[in-house]
């Protein structure tokens, strides 16, 4: 392959490959994410103490995903007990429902459900109910962004359970909502007991027994239709290649009236402010031809031999979501991990989530002109003062036949 090509050919290839990169994700099935193949959330149970009728364990969630973080209202971890286990007490987290504890006369358990669901406590929880890494309202950062805040823990005291590492039964059917569907968890597996190193590093203690559960994310489990789309434009052609019509579903008055809202309709304020909808995570999108909650617009501003410059504009069309911390993950063959220099500025064109929020990033990409697909690497653009577009920014659904060439 020639190392220097005429600028226009170079650009053509750039644009086409960008789309291919995005659309190839459409065909990846299951939980595999080509941009983060090892991404997972690992849940670790460390039994740190046996009690007369059970054990005390510290349960930790590690968000080992490179760019997908867990946003408010946070994670929710569920499982099914193997036997008749109950939760006597918890610190750093709580079961969402107590369940039927009517059999208990004096000492009332924290939760008697066969299938408890646990959530994190909110920041500012009284000191005596906290443990390390707890109480972030269920919000976890992505590993590449901030590993220290990618871990959550709670302590659980389990009764009516085994009291040795041979009689203890591991819970089964783990579920993780983070928030909403998308994660699939495997079975718990006994692993080498965790070692805890003392602060001065001179002594280590270890868990009595430890088991791990691994959960992986799949866009297909989360939602059948894509949640974002890519549109393109360039300095040398007035034509804007819009997101394909119905990229994220179709607006059809006869089959799904109210599947979107017009930006200026009086109905909008009533849906957005309806307290019954406070915890509704389903997107409420502004009516557009693509019907996507998120649109990423890729505008090629200049194209030189040595580099090209694009302006990326991210628009939020979902009235139910404010994004305060977000990542944009872009994949492109011209991103080279040694030579890419990127700087960006962002601005919020409308800080009042009610009308759609636009955010523009300007990125300068330096390229050596290589077109090897093997050089594809994910790049993380982090803007810490804005939170996430994580679940939405992998773009599915851009048509591979659309090019600006
Ligand atoms: C989960 O992610 C960690 C960190 O990337 C990795 O070491 C581990 O092998 C992964 N686990 C599975 C089961 O993929
Ligand atoms: C279990 O999970 C912990 C925490 O993520 C990790 O350090 C450990 O390597 C895992 N063990 C196995 C066997 O995957
Ligand atoms: C249970 O404890 C025994 C010794 O106390 C140890 O050899 C064994 O590895 C432990 N098993 C598990 C699953 O932790
Ligand atoms: C809307 O739904 C009706 C009935 O299913 C169908 O006949 C029509 O083609 C749909 N219109 C669009 C624009 O998809
Ligand atoms: C859908 O219905 C609304 C009111 O019922 C109407 O104003 C609008 O024009 C319709 N849209 C389409 C595409 O038919
Ligand atoms: C988004 O932020 C605006 C302004 O702070 C607020 O009025 C609105 O209720 C928020 N929307 C959601 C869904 O949190
Ligand atoms: C970055 O480039 C170096 C040298 O070319 C290579 O060894 C390394 O694997 C690359 N890293 C990634 C993430 O592609
Ligand atoms: C601009 O792009 C459109 C759509 O791809 C194409 O039909 C048209 O010929 C282009 N115009 C020029 C001047 O290149």
């Amino acid at each position: 392959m020639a190392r220097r090509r005429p600028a226009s050919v170079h650009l053509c290839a750039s644009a086409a490959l960008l789309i291919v990169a995005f659309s190839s994700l459409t065909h990846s099935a299951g939980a595999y994410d080509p941009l983060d193949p090892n991404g997972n959330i690992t849940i670790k149970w460390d039994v740190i103490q046996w009690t007369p009728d059970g054990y005390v364990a510290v349960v930790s969630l590690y968000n080992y995903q490179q760019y997908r973080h867990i946003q408010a209202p946070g994670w929710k971890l569920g499982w099914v007990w193997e036997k008749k286990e109950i939760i006597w007490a918890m610190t750093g987290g709580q079961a969402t429902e107590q369940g039927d504890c009517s059999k208990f006369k004096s000492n009332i358990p924290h939760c008697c459900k066969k299938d408890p669901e646990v959530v994190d406590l909110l920041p500012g929880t009284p000191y005596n109910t906290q443990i390390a890494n707890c109480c972030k309202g269920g919000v976890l950062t992505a590993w590449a962004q901030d590993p220290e805040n990618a871990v959550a823990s709670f302590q659980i005291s389990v009764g009516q359970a085994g009291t040795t590492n041979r009689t203890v039964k591991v819970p089964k059917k783990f579920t993780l909502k983070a928030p909403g569907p998308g994660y699939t968890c495997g079975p718990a597996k006994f692993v080498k007991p965790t070692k805890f190193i003392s602060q001065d590093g001179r002594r280590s203690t270890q868990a009595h027994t430890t088991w791990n559960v691994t959960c992986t994310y799949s866009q297909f489990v989360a939602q059948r239709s894509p949640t974002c789309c890519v549109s393109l434009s360039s300095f040398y052609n007035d034509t804007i290649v819009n997101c394909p019509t119905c990229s994220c579903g179709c607006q059809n008055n006869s089959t799904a009236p109210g599947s979107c809202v017009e930006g200026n309709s009086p109905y909008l304020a009533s849906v957005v402010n309806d307290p019954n909808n406070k915890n509704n995570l389903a997107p409420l999108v502004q009516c557009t031809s693509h019907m996507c909650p998120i649109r990423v617009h890729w505008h090629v501003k200049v194209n030189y031999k040595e580099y090209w410059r694009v302006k990326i504009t991210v628009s939020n069309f979902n009235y139910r979501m404010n994004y305060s911390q977000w990542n944009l993950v872009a994949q492109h063959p011209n991103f080279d991990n040694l030579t890419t220099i990127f700087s960006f500025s962002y601005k919020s064109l409308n800080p009042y989530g009610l009308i759609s929020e636009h955010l523009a990033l300007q990125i300068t990409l330096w390229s050596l002109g290589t077109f090897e697909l093997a050089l594809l690497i994910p790049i993380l653009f982090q803007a810490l003062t804005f939170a996430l577009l994580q679940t939405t920014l992998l773009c599915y659904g851009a048509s591979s036949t659309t090019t600006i060439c």
Side-chain angles (χ1 to χ4, degrees), residues 57-60 91-93 127-135 153-155:
V58 173
V59 181
S60 306
T91 35
Y127 193 68
N128 59 359
T129 56
Q130 293 191 14
I131 69 161
N133 293 325
C134 86
C135 314
S153 297
F154 59 88
Q155 185 169 313

Side-chain angles (χ1 to χ4, degrees), residues 84-110:
K84 297 210 175 312
E85 290 92 333
I86 46 140
I87 301 172
W88 281 121
M90 284 185 75
T91 35
Q94 62 184 2
T96 53
E97 280 182 65
Q98 184 183 33
D100 178 8
C101 292
S102 60
K103 284 200 300 253
F104 295 84
K105 294 207 172 68
S106 52
N107 227 349
I108 311 292
H110 175 80

